[in-house]
Amino acid sequence: MDDSDKTRQAEELPSVARRGRGRPKSQPDPQRRAAIIDTARRTFIELGLAGTTTEIVASRCHISKQTLYRLFPSKTDLFVAVVAAHRQTMLDLPRPPEEDAPLAEIIGRIFMLDIDAETEREREAFIRMVMQQSHQMPELMEVLFREGPETSRRQLADWLSGQMTRGRLVLEDPVTGARMLMDLLMGGIGRGPKGWKDLADRRRHMEQAIALFVRGTRPA
C-alpha cells in the first residue's frame, strides 16, 4: 500500500475513529455547578427540605453521587448554594463598581423592579416552601438566614457605604440604613395577602418607597 492509499483510507475512516477513543469532554465545573444548583432548587421546591436528598439530585442531574459530592460535599453545602442563587433573585448585589446612574435607578435594579413574571413565580415558590417547612429542619433554617437575609443586608450596607464615601447620600450608619431600606422594600415582595393587583401595581409602591429613601438620605 503506497502513501496515497494510506491517506485515502484515513480520510474514509469515521471522524470518531480518527479522534481516537476516550470519553467526550464533560461540562466545565462552573456550568455543571449551575445546572446542579438549578435542579436542586427545583427539587427542594417539589419535594421539600426533608424529602430532597443528594441521591435524588444526582439522579435528576444524570451524574454520579461521587461527582455531586466533589462539588457539594453534603446536602447542607448544596442548600447553601441554592440559597446563594436564590439571594441573587431577591437583591441584585454586589453592584458593578463603575456603575454611575441615579440612586433611585440603581436601588430599583438592586431590588429587581423589572423582574419578570416567571422569575417572580420561582422565587415565591422557594420562599413559600421554606416558610411552610422551616420547622422540619431548623439547622437548614440557620443556614438560610445566614446565607440569605444576613448576607444580603451586609452586601447592601457595603454598597450604601460606598455611596456615602462618594458623597451621594448621608446616613449615620450604613448597616442601619440597609436594614431600613430592606424593611421599606422587602415588604413589597410577594402578592396575594398584600393586595397587589399585579407586578406593575407592586412596582409603583416600591418606586414610591425608593423615592422616600432617596429624599431622606440626600446630602444637604
Side-chain angles (χ1 to χ4, degrees), residues 114-162:
D114 291 325
I115 191 170
D116 60 86
E118 181 179 354
T119 304
E120 171 71 2
R121 284 193 296 270
E122 290 179 353
R123 76 178 186 181
E124 281 188 353
F126 186 78
I127 293 171
R128 185 166 54 250
M129 180 276 297
V130 167
M131 295 300 292
Q132 290 173 348
Q133 302 187 21
S134 58
H135 65 283
Q136 296 181 10
M137 304 190 72
E139 68 278 9
L140 289 187
M141 290 307 97
E142 294 178 12
V143 170
L144 176 70
F145 180 75
R146 184 181 70 246
E147 301 295 331
E150 224 175 53
T151 298
S152 292
R153 186 163 52 245
R154 185 178 67 252
Q155 290 177 335
L156 184 57
D158 289 344
W159 179 79
L160 289 171
S161 179

Side-chain angles (χ1 to χ4, degrees), residues 32 36 54 58-59 61-70:
R32 175 167 285 177
I36 292 171
T54 51
S59 175
C61 291
H62 305 291
I63 60 175
S64 67
K65 288 188 292 184
Q66 289 74 20
T67 298
L68 180 66
Y69 291 146
R70 180 172 62 83

